[in-house]
Amino acid sequence: MIKLIEHEHELNRNLLMKTLSGKKMLSYMKAYGPNYEFCRFYKITDETGCGFMFIINSTLIICTDGKLQANQEINLFISMNLPFRIEGDRGIIQEINLPERYQHLNRTIFELIPDDSPLEAIEEHVEFNPKLTDVYAILSEGFPNIADFSLWYTDTSHRCRHGISKVFTYRNSTTASVMFDIGSAVLIGQVATTAAARGRGYAREFLKWLAKFFNGLDKRAYLLALDVRKSFYEEIGFREAGQEIVLERIDIEKDSMSKGQL
């Protein structure tokens, strides 16, 4: 059975705190609550186990107790909503079978491990409270398919105001965002550098600085990388902390819809 969640207490915090996907779900519940049409939470139960689903814009996240199995109801829910991206519970995602709609992508979870090497990045070049228009200008060069400015700005500013997210820039040309900060875990995402500044090592410097910055706050920082970017983070010295499978639509043009970037 899939049931729409109407109150925050209906989420199982202990279950969701076990994974990055679950923490992401909790962070959005904290930021938005259950009453927005574009941000919906569901509980899934059957005789095998239980779990939760969260859909925002065009991304669906599935988290379970590890016992719940993919079933006809979950597949019907996906067929009805057709999100651009599906992520979360690996066992469930492996069993979703809509080959005409989705491709499987491998994604690596990296933990940002600080090292003892001297950092070229100097904190005076880090902007802790940049203008969101400046951040979006950088992101739009790095992610041509990013959501339009109004959607991105509304979501990002809302999450920042609620203490869920934070954005940084470095040397006015590289950006990275805290997608959520919950418990002792921080998820870093939307890392991009302007075309004019690429090749100077700014992203590498900035990520190394972020690793030390959050380590100093007793936080464990993570980021997610598709295979095309995996070697970059390995070369920096970040540690692989897990593997995920992500489903993405293949039957539409990426430019034609918001990808629900998280």
Side-chain angles (χ1 to χ4, degrees):
M1 180 176 68
I2 297 176
K3 177 182 179 293
L4 181 68
I5 287 177
E6 298 179 346
H7 304 283
E8 182 175 353
H9 67 78
E10 296 177 65
L11 290 179
N12 184 331
R13 182 178 177 85
N14 290 333
L15 186 157
L16 295 176
M17 284 294 288
K18 293 179 180 179
T19 63
L20 291 178
S21 294
K23 290 173 182 174
K24 187 184 296 183
M25 192 180 300
L26 288 171
S27 72
Y28 269 83
M29 174 62 83
K30 181 178 177 181
Y32 286 105
N35 299 318
Y36 285 88
E37 179 63 27
F38 68 89
C39 182
R40 305 188 306 277
F41 302 83
Y42 300 87
K43 184 174 183 178
I44 325 165
T45 54
D46 67 11
E47 65 278 3
T48 64
C50 68
F52 298 91
M53 294 192 297
F54 162 56
I55 187 166
I56 181 167
N57 298 325
S58 197
T59 289
L60 173 67
I61 299 175
I62 304 172
C63 300
T64 77
D65 59 3
K67 301 176 183 178
L68 185 75
Q69 299 177 5
N71 55 46
Q72 184 176 1
E73 194 171 10
I74 293 175
N75 278 284
L76 179 61
F77 180 91
I78 292 169
S79 296
M80 291 175 60
N81 288 276
L82 290 176
F84 180 86
R85 181 183 296 108
I86 306 171
E87 57 185 69
D89 187 284
R90 185 183 182 98
I92 296 289
I93 290 175
Q94 283 179 317
E95 295 184 30
I96 294 171
N97 186 25
L98 294 169
E100 73 283 4
R101 298 281 193 184
Y102 291 96
Q103 62 176 328
H104 285 67
L105 302 175
N106 296 315
R107 190 163 71 179
T108 302
I109 303 170
F110 281 101
E111 183 176 356
L112 279 63
I113 303 297
D115 57 33
D116 296 326
S117 61
L119 291 179
E120 296 180 37
I122 303 173
E123 193 162 301
E124 66 184 53
H125 294 298
V126 177
E127 176 57 63
F128 287 80
N129 190 30
K131 294 179 180 179
L132 291 184
T133 51
D134 295 339
V135 174
Y136 187 82
I138 299 172
L139 284 174
S140 61
E141 290 193 37
F143 300 100
N145 299 309
I146 194 170
D148 66 71
F149 176 74
S150 59
L151 178 62
W152 176 89
Y153 180 88
T154 300
D155 179 48
T156 302
S157 60
H158 184 89
R159 288 186 289 110
C160 287
R161 286 197 306 272
H162 284 76
I164 299 302
S165 298
K166 186 171 179 59
V167 294
F168 300 86
T169 58
Y170 176 61
R171 294 185 181 272
N172 299 317
S173 56
T174 297
T175 186
S177 296
V178 173
M179 309 312 291
F180 67 74
D181 181 347
I182 184 167
S184 60
V186 173
L187 180 65
I188 304 296
Q190 296 189 344
V191 180
T193 299
T194 60
R198 289 173 195 163
R200 301 178 187 177
Y202 288 171
R204 181 186 301 265
E205 293 174 3
F206 189 31
L207 287 168
K208 282 179 170 287
W209 179 87
L210 285 169
K212 286 198 171 184
F213 175 75
F214 285 109
N215 184 68
L217 297 176
D218 293 323
K219 300 279 187 179
R220 301 182 71 175
Y222 300 90
L223 57 79
L224 308 173
L226 295 174
D227 284 349
V228 69
R229 295 292 290 167
K230 183 178 178 181
S231 62
F232 174 75
Y233 297 115
E234 289 174 335
E235 290 169 5
I236 293 177
F238 295 160
R239 180 171 64 201
E240 183 176 327
Q243 290 284 333
E244 296 182 332
I245 295 175
V246 178
L247 301 185
E248 279 198 358
R249 292 274 297 273
I250 56 175
D251 61 331
I252 58 172
E253 291 293 331
K254 289 188 177 183
D255 289 340
S256 66
M257 68 182 300
S258 163
K259 292 176 64 177
Q261 287 265 357
L262 294 179

